[in-house]
Amino acid sequence: MAGKWSHRIVEFEGRHVSVSIDDSYRDAPAERLALAPRLARFGVYCTLDAGAAFWHPDETDTLNSIEGELLRLCGSEAQGWVTHVACIHTWGVREYYLHFGGQAELRPVMPELRAAFPDYRIDFDERLDPAWEFYKEWLKRADR
């Protein structure tokens, strides 16, 4: 799930948002993108008041641990059919976006992730995005 990541602070709906996006799919051919037509979103909600920051500094280590475990579990569950494409951080919420395909299912990651971090609200949803429109839109935002 490694790639060529860029990081930007962008304005979205009147708020600043931290965007980290994997640029390595910028020029990928459509047939390559079509191998991973589903987009998963995992939302991790902070437990401490972030104040003016995206998250409270005392939560950094735990949030990084959640991220690491999330990516490990997704990689294991999807058996190579997943790629982590973006992170979007707003005040108090970290969102992770992964494209996946094949017979992979990422929802089974949730019980183990929630059990490992019971104090954190963690959401999951997925949708079809075979043309990677979400990724392309955020790539444009990050380029501005």
Side-chain angles (χ1 to χ4, degrees), residues 87-107:
C87 296
I88 299 175
H89 306 296
T90 58
W91 279 270
V93 183
R94 285 186 172 190
E95 295 179 313
Y96 301 93
Y97 293 88
L98 300 92
H99 264 280
F100 64 107
Q103 298 299 311
E105 293 295 337
L106 297 184
R107 187 171 301 280

Side-chain angles (χ1 to χ4, degrees), residues 43-103:
V44 178
Y45 295 78
C46 298
T47 61
L48 300 177
D49 183 353
F54 290 114
W55 61 85
H56 193 285
D58 289 349
E59 277 190 290
T60 300
D61 289 343
T62 302
L63 292 169
N64 290 344
S65 293
I66 293 171
E67 177 179 330
E69 186 65 2
L70 166 66
L71 297 177
R72 184 191 72 75
L73 289 168
C74 286
S76 176
E77 191 67 38
Q79 300 177 4
W81 286 95
V82 67
T83 187
H84 180 206
V85 297
C87 296
I88 299 175
H89 306 296
T90 58
W91 279 270
V93 183
R94 285 186 172 190
E95 295 179 313
Y96 301 93
Y97 293 88
L98 300 92
H99 264 280
F100 64 107
Q103 298 299 311

